[in-house]
Amino acid sequence: MTFQVIFKSSFLENVASISIFDMVLAMVLAFAIGMFIFLIYKKTFAGVMYSSTFGVTLVALTMISTLVILAVTSNVVLSLGMVGALSIVRFRTAIKEPLDIAFLFWSIAVGIVLAAGMIPLAVFGSVAIGVFLLIFANKKSHVNPYIVVIRCADHDSEAAATEFLRKQVQRLVVKSKTVQKGSVELNAEVRMRDDNTDFINILSEMTGVTSAVLVSYNGDYMG
């Protein structure tokens, strides 16, 4: 057996295993749907700091997964080697927003479905997921939550401040309480009746209250 025969059997056969049209079509569709995923991510982002590199990663991940699955479906031996290679990959980057995980899986799933030739499923599924995220991810509560931080001198002033605050807001839930000698700090989540914040001024002037702070937050309390 000559080197030419070995080269021909192991390499040239794989070159023609996937047509040029299939490769181009799959990669173009992967790029187009990846851009659609990126736009949905940009529209629905509600975190603290927007990362444009994560959006680009979604497009690249869609195309990469398409490329990998195209190679796997064309060669059984290659698919076994690919499984072994990918099994040792470990990702250490922390995902800060829970919704980002959905976008990552969405990109990977679209790449797999496109490479499998299920183009209608990839397009229809992406449109359905995108509409769902646009409707529910940006859905805001009519009553915005706030955190009120009150520092009082003693238990009596704390009770008076809490009672006054409870009458001024629609809902009050105590989140944390820190007590030190001669000082009480109370963190409470409140839902306001309207946009009027004058009650904080009155609260800060009450006897025994050293300070009162009103902070808006997105509802994800950490502590």
Side-chain angles (χ1 to χ4, degrees):
M1 182 177 292
T2 63
F3 176 78
Q4 183 178 2
V5 175
I6 297 175
F7 181 81
K8 181 178 180 181
S9 61
S10 61
F11 181 77
L12 294 181
E13 291 179 359
N14 292 331
V15 172
S17 59
I18 303 176
S19 66
I20 300 297
F21 176 77
D22 291 340
M23 287 188 289
V24 173
L25 179 62
M27 296 304 294
V28 169
L29 287 175
F31 174 77
I33 299 180
M35 287 298 300
F36 175 74
I37 296 174
F38 170 64
L39 292 176
I40 296 297
Y41 171 75
K42 191 174 181 180
K43 291 289 185 180
T44 59
F45 180 79
V48 178
M49 295 184 63
Y50 171 75
S51 175
S52 59
T53 56
F54 184 80
V56 176
T57 301
L58 294 175
V59 182
L61 191 60
T62 306
M63 300 179 69
I64 292 171
S65 57
T66 301
L67 183 66
V68 171
I69 300 302
L70 279 175
V72 167
T73 55
S74 64
N75 193 310
V76 177
V77 177
L78 181 61
S79 65
L80 297 177
M82 191 71 69
V83 170
L86 294 178
S87 64
I88 64 175
V89 177
R90 296 292 183 270
F91 298 98
R92 301 297 183 185
T93 303
I95 302 298
K96 298 181 180 180
E97 296 293 333
L99 194 59
D100 291 350
I101 300 176
F103 282 98
L104 289 174
F105 276 101
W106 184 8
S107 300
I108 296 173
V110 166
I112 294 174
V113 173
L114 280 176
M118 303 177 186
I119 297 177
L121 177 60
V123 175
F124 175 78
S126 296
V127 172
I129 295 172
V131 171
F132 172 81
L133 291 175
L134 286 175
I135 293 175
F136 291 98
N138 284 335
K139 189 175 181 181
K140 302 296 183 181
S141 174
H142 295 290
V143 183
N144 294 327
Y146 288 84
I147 284 289
V148 176
V149 182
I150 307 172
R151 289 186 175 87
C152 307
D154 50 29
H155 173 73
D156 294 336
S157 59
E158 175 202 350
T162 303
E163 184 63 25
F164 171 78
L165 183 61
R166 196 180 300 275
K167 293 178 180 179
Q168 301 299 318
V169 299
Q170 180 177 344
R171 181 171 177 265
L172 185 146
V173 178
V174 176
K175 289 295 185 179
S176 67
K177 179 179 179 180
T178 304
V179 180
Q180 297 177 350
K181 188 174 181 179
S183 175
V184 178
E185 181 178 306
L186 191 69
N187 295 334
E189 176 188 337
V190 299
R191 302 296 176 109
M192 298 168 54
R193 294 190 177 96
D194 50 38
D195 295 333
N196 188 4
T197 60
D198 292 340
F199 66 91
I200 291 294
N201 300 339
I202 302 174
L203 184 63
S204 64
E205 296 175 356
M206 293 179 63
T207 303
V209 177
T210 57
S211 67
V213 180
L214 179 66
V215 181
S216 176
Y217 84 119
N218 61 0
D220 297 329
Y221 179 76
M222 300 295 292

